[in-house]
């Protein structure tokens, strides 16, 4: 119907150049969507689990990223297909919401699509499929709640938290020191956590990396590390019991926002001007000194003269500190960020027990560590590693571990990993399917099959025969009525995940299932 | 129970992605499975082969020509320098370039070895992958082997921390071993002496900034010398004294042209010529006052980072003060460090500014150039090494070599553990790793075996580069190492095996450890990859 006629019988064109445009409709359109989704999921499938492989991603500018973090891979994949973009969104929202399980959500999604394709071929309407999936996801969701266990921990006994973080880290390249990194992540989270309100502000944890050394040298600094050094090379490198003035005004003559001009036409004026200028610097430095500051941290630059005056009056200073860092320093030291010299008062100063400069290797790399702060609620995780890509990957892994620890503090329910939760859900959904009449029954059954996709991928990546392993585990779960059997990825010898200490957070898993299901509505 | 561990990743390569499933943007390239692994192996090994021929005392140099303007040429056999200058498109190769850079930053030497070892590890891994062993199994094996190798080395280290004389001779040996593979190998004893002296003056600090390396073309390498004072590559102002004894030095960073008014928006607006003259006079007066204030510090030498204009220079000359202008920032910092003075920018409180002191300032000649020499300085830490040589290229390479030696030495001063060189550490490690392989059941032991072979590749390459019969030498060496506490290594000079202890061939433990650990890490990283996604390169606008 490219050509139509109006009321007066004149022809007009609805779709221009129809021949050159391809338009997919009906079943073909669904299938194209499904194929695209599967292609994305297939890329990520090999990254799942402790034996999952990494991907090299080269950005348009030639920078290399090596990672097996699902969200990062998808973000950088330069995807050009609508459905694929949707899946990218999916893993991103898992990343925002939970922080971990970004690969799993995409694999599950791909597996659901694969099943949906078969149903479409049978002539079941897409909306029915979506509705069936929705019902199934509810069953799975509730079942997860049912098989979850509560995990008690206290500030003194952090072992359970560490174990959970280790599960997350074991699929990353940093798994060589997963124990150490997991402990660091848990300590960091506990340092900033509000156990009363069950909330953790991850913004208070700063993750810094410097190339060099080895991963084992990674440390947790109870304080802030800033990638800056003292503004004058001869200022002291170590200050104890520092009173810190945090400034957002430059040590420079003021620049009023209104446009103005100062006209100088006589010698006297010229001289007053000069006197005024010197007074400015002098007053600024004196002001800081008067309120009792022993360290100045400034967002802007210093004039040479001001810099020297600071040095001469024995007031160490750091310049060009970024806004985010400045805020963290303010939080950690209990100080206030002061925008004008006039507003500087002693009670606005921050306190820190020790400020020191740390230097690395043979180059002139230095960092400033602010430690033993008044408010110990801000910490820095300082990562070392053999090369840049390693550090970047370690940062991402630590982020995942931090998120997991945070989720546990919010809600201390866990489910067991290694695909055991998925298998158990699959069994439950399968059993429930028969109770529903109508086409949805097929969709629900397919959902159960799709859940099997995750343990299948896990087994495949670990070099186990996937079908054999999955069926064995499944029958074991039903026979022993034990929902904790999973895939033995690390060849430990048992597939009871309780003995292997492989946990995942309940909310993470639930979110995965919900997100993957919701994606379907749009995709089908 | 059937437990077939055939890795899924090494199944035959799937056919290229069908057109319908293409989800990436137009020019993006996606490589999967076997093909991706091949691409990264090939890239990494190409890089390793590239720098392989520079390894060891008989390693060859490379000429690098830049594509930039001037087509400047660098001649070097420093791995990090070579790799830094390459334009590389292969992502795996970039990993190797990166580790060599980090090695350079962290310990300064061994930049070639680390790349070669990583390359060899991957070469061995490729064979294993072809034997259908899963990359994760290989990684697990490599990790065990690396740990074992490190421990083996750790047990054999020597530590002469408490014995100053012996420690010094250790340092000498390390310096000579490092330098023997560089352009300075002809005069390695001389330069080793220079480097050790310079580093020992630092008294344990790793801050190499206080060792200044000055390059002056002319003369021969042998004419290079270590100066205990500080040499500033600047000229003394006109009409000012050329020699000052017991100098009081003010080091400053201040504008000595017309001091600009810093208040924003200020400008001079006059309505007659006479007023211009007035203002000019006031400006001059201002400068004069500033100079007087500076002179008021009771100094006889003034070194400024910024320019000193004619007028103040004249004033300084009148006061009999030696004034040096435009000393670069590093020069200023060093001078302040050396003479113990502050870097000043305001001059209102002469009593609170710490002046620098030195016994003698004089103008000296090196070749054609006149330089300012500060001797008898307050702080004994700093020193200057003046390099002489036939051409810029020779000097640049000499500086890099010396820098390597200085880095290694300063690291050794902190971590005093020393091991032998000449392929000895590799053989020690490989022996232990071999034993570990024998003890380990499972497929991992193949990977551990492979690790040991990769370690042995390093002495093999050193021997090959020296034109020796490597197969023969390595097998002899291995037999020798079968005995307990052997100190035998390859003596490239005589072309046979030699006792490393007697020949005094030593290396720093820290360097070797860093080599083994980062090479393993890099190999692991590349091994884990099963897919490469390359985005379309960003289109650059043609700047015609």
């Amino acid at each position: 119907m490219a050509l139509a006629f109006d009321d007066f019988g004149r022809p007009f064109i609805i779709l221009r150049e129809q021949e050159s445009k391809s338009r997919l409709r009906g079943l073909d359109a669904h299938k194209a969507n499904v194929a695209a989704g599967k292609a994305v999921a297939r890329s990520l499938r090999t990254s799942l689990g402790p034996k999952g492989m990494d991907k090299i991603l080269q950005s348009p500018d030639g920078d290399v990223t090596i990672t097996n973090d699902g969200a990062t891979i998808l973000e950088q994949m330069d995807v050009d297909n609508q459905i694929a973009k949707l899946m990218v969104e999916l893993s991103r929202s898992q990343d925002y919401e939970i922080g971990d399980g970004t690969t799993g959500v995409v694999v599950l999604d791909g597996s659901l699509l694969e099943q949906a394709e078969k149903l479409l071929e049978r002539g079941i309407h897409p909306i029915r499929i979506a509705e069936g999936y929705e019902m199934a996801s509810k069953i799975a969701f509730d079942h997860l709640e049912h098989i979850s266990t509560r995990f008690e921990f206290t500030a003194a006994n952090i072992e359970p938290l560490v174990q959970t973080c280790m599960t997350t880290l074991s699929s990353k390249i940093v798994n060589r020191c997963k124990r150490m990194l997991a402990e660091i992540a848990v300590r960091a989270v506990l340092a900033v956590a509000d156990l009363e309100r069950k909330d953790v502000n991850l913004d208070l944890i700063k993750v810094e990396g410097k190339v060099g050394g080895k991963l084992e040298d990674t440390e947790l600094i109870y304080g802030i590390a800033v990638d800056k050094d003292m503004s004058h090379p001869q200022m002291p490198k170590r200050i104890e019991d520092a009173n810190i003035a945090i400034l957002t005004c430059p040590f420079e003559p003021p620049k009023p926002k209104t446009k103005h001009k100062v006209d100088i036409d006589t010698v006297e004026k010229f001289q007053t001007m000069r006197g005024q200028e010197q007074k400015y610097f002098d007053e600024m430095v004196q002001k800081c000194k008067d309120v009792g500051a022993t360290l100045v941290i400034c967002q802007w630059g210093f004039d040479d003269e001001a810099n020297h005056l600071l040095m001469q009056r024995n007031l160490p200073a750091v310049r060009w500190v970024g806004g985010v860092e400045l805020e963290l320093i303010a939080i950690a030291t209990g100080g206030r960020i002061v925008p004008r010299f006039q507003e500087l008062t002693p009670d606005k100063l921050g306190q820190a027990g020790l400020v020191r400069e740390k230097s690395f290797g043979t180059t002139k790399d230095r960092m400033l560590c602010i430690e033993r702060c008044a408010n110990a609620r801000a910490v820095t995780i300082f990562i070392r590693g053999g090369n840049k890509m390693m550090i970047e990957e370690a940062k991402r892994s630590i982020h995942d571990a931090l998120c997991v620890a945070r989720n546990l503090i919010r809600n201390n329910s866990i489910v067991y990993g290694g695909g055991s939760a998925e298998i158990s859900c699959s069994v439950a959904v399968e059993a429930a399917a028969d109770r529903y009449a109508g086409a949805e029954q097929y969709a629900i059954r397919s959902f159960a099959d799709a859940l099997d996709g995750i343990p299948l991928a896990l087994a495949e990546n670990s070099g186990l025969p996937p079908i054999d392993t999955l069926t064995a585990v499944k029958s074991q779960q039903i026979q022993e009525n034990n929902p904790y059997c999973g895939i033995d990825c690390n060849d430990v010898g048992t597939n009871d995940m309780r003995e292997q200490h492989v946990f995942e957070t309940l909310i993470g898993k639930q979110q995965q299932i919900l997100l993957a299901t919701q994606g379907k509505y749009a995709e089908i | 129970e059937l437990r077939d561990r055939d890795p899924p990743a090494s199944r035959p390569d799937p056919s290229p992605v069908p057109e319908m499933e293409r989800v990436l943007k137009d020019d993006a390239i996606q490589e999967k499975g076997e093909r991706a692994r091949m691409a990264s192996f090939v890239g990494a090994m190409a890089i390793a082969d590239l720098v392989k021929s520079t390894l060891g005392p008989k390693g060859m140099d490379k000429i690098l020509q830049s594509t930039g303007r001037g087509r400047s040429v660098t001649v070097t056999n420093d791995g990090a320098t070579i790799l830094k200058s390459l334009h590389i498109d292969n992502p795996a190769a970039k990993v190797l370039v990166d580790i060599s850079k980090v090695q350079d930053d962290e310990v300064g030497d061994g930049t070639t070895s680390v790349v070669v070892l990583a390359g060899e590890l991957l070469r061995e891994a490729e064979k294993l992958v072809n034997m259908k062993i899963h990359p994760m199994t290989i990684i697990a094996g490599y990790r065990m082997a690396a740990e074992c190798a490190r421990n083996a080395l750790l047990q054999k280290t020597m530590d002469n921390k408490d014995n100053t004389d012996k420690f010094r001779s250790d340092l000498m040996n390390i310096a000579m071993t490092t330098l023997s593979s560089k352009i300075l190998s002809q005069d390695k004893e001389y330069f080793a002496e220079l480097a050790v002296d310079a580093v020992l003056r630092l008294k344990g600090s790793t801050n190499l900034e206080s060792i200044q390396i000055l390059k002056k073309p002319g003369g021969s390498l042998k004419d290079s010398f270590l100066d205990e004072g500080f040499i500033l590559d600047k000229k003394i102002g006109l009409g000012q004294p050329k020699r000052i004894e017991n100098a009081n030095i003010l080091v400053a960073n201040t504008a000595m042209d017309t001091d600009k008014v810093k208040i924003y928006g200020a400008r001079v607006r006059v309505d007659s010529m006479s007023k211009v003259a007035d203002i000019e006079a006031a400006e001059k007066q201002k400068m004069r006052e500033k100079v007087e204030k500076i002179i008021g510090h009771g100094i006889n030498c003034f070194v400024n980072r910024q320019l000193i204009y004619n007028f103040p220079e004249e004033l300084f000359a009148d006061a009999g003060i030696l004034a040096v202008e435009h000393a670069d920032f590093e020069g200023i910092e060093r001078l302040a460090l050396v003479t113990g003075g502050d870097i000043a920018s305001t001059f209102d409180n002469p009593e609170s500014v710490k002046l620098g002191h030195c016994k003698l300032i004089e103008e000296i000649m090196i070749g054609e150039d006149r330089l300012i020499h500060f001797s008898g300085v307050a702080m004994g830490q700093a020193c200057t090494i003046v390099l002489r040589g036939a051409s810029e290229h020779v000097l640049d390479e000499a500086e890099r070599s010396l820098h390597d030696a200085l880095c290694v030495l300063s690291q050794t001063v902190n971590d005093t553990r020393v091991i032998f060189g000449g392929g000895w550490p590799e053989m020690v490690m490989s022996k232990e790793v071999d034993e570990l392989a024998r003890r380990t059941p499972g497929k991992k032991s193949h990977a551990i075996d492979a690790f040991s072979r990769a370690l042995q590749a390093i002495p093999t390459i050193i021997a090959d580069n020296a034109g020796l019969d490597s197969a023969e030498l390595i097998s002899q060496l291995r037999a020798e190492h079968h005995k307990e506490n052997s100190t035998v290594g390859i003596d490239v000079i005589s072309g046979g095996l030699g006792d490393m202890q007697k020949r005094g061939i030593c290396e720093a433990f820290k360097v070797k450890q860093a080599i083994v650990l980062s090479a393993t890490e890099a190999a692991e990283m590349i091994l884990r990859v099963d897919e490469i996604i390359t985005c379309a390169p960003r289109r650059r606008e043609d700047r015609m």
Side-chain angles (χ1 to χ4, degrees), chain A residues 171-368:
Chain A
S171 65
K172 315 278 175 187
I173 195 170
V174 295
N175 60 6
R176 187 155 44 97
C177 359
K178 61 178 173 185
R179 171 93 218 168
M180 194 193 83
L181 291 179
E183 272 174 22
I184 286 179
V186 171
R187 288 223 182 87
V189 168
L190 282 180
V192 302
D194 189 341
L195 290 176
E196 299 276 291
R197 273 176 43 230
K198 293 203 169 188
D199 197 16
V200 183
N201 184 359
L202 285 188
D203 291 343
L204 293 177
I205 301 176
K206 193 161 169 260
V207 183
E208 273 282 341
K210 254 243 148 94
V211 180
K214 45 187 192 293
L215 205 55
E216 283 84 355
D217 297 337
T218 301
E219 56 180 330
L220 177 67
I221 299 168
Y222 286 96
I224 312 280
V226 191
D227 200 356
K228 290 274 175 295
D229 52 2
M230 295 291 182
S231 64
H232 197 287
Q234 289 167 328
M235 286 177 179
K237 309 277 183 236
R238 190 187 165 89
I239 306 155
E240 286 187 25
D241 297 320
N243 289 322
I244 306 171
I246 306 161
L247 298 170
T248 52
C249 43
F251 275 85
E252 274 162 19
K255 282 185 187 171
K257 295 224 169 51
T258 12
K259 220 168 176 190
H260 70 291
K261 289 217 165 60
V262 185
D263 282 344
I264 302 169
D265 49 5
T266 61
V267 173
E268 289 74 43
K269 276 193 184 163
F270 183 80
Q271 270 157 0
T272 1
M273 190 83 180
R274 234 181 75 211
Q276 184 63 34
E277 190 183 290
Q278 278 172 345
K279 237 175 83 193
Y280 264 133
F281 290 124
D282 199 57
E283 273 174 5
M284 285 178 204
V285 177
Q286 199 51 45
K287 188 80 200 168
C288 299
K289 201 79 195 160
D290 282 348
V291 294
T294 52
L295 173 68
V296 176
I297 290 178
C298 185
Q299 195 174 9
W300 303 102
F302 304 159
D303 196 274
D304 281 342
E305 263 181 78
N307 203 0
H308 174 69
L309 277 175
L310 284 167
M311 212 277 293
Q312 206 177 46
R313 309 232 173 126
N314 200 10
L315 192 58
V318 188
R319 58 181 155 184
W320 297 122
V321 179
V324 183
E325 284 160 345
L326 213 63
E327 254 172 55
L328 273 177
I329 294 173
I331 295 172
T333 58
R336 291 267 296 277
I337 297 176
V338 181
R340 266 184 220 103
F341 285 101
Q342 290 81 359
E343 287 165 22
L344 205 57
T345 51
D347 55 310
K348 284 182 183 166
L349 297 181
Q351 266 83 33
L354 176 67
V355 179
R356 64 190 164 103
E357 236 184 46
K358 220 173 136 99
S359 55
F360 306 99
T362 61
T363 43
K364 294 184 217 161
D365 265 351
R366 292 203 194 91
M367 272 189 124
L368 202 68

Side-chain angles (χ1 to χ4, degrees), chain A residues 42 46 52 54-56 58 62 80 175-176 211 234 262 264 274 277 303 305 308 362 388 460 463, chain B residues 4 8 21 23 94 98 102 105 143 262 267 269 286 289 341 343 345 521 528 530-531 533 535:
Chain A
R42 198 165 47 223
T46 51
D54 288 3
K55 311 268 176 265
I56 290 187
Q58 201 166 18
D80 202 23
N175 60 6
R176 187 155 44 97
V211 180
Q234 289 167 328
V262 185
I264 302 169
R274 234 181 75 211
E277 190 183 290
D303 196 274
E305 263 181 78
H308 174 69
T362 61
K388 204 170 69 210
E460 200 176 317
Chain B
D4 182 14
E21 293 179 18
V23 289
K94 279 190 184 158
D98 208 50
V102 173
D105 291 349
R143 275 187 190 169
K262 283 171 185 162
R267 63 171 180 182
R269 174 172 279 181
K286 184 181 163 193
E289 274 169 27
I343 299 175
S345 294
E521 216 167 69
R528 282 176 66 103
D530 75 334
E531 190 165 336
I533 298 168
C535 295

Side-chain angles (χ1 to χ4, degrees), chain B residues 15 132 135 240 291 332 339 384:
Chain B
S15 55
K132 307 271 182 243
Q240 292 165 351
V291 172
I332 283 285
T339 59
T384 304

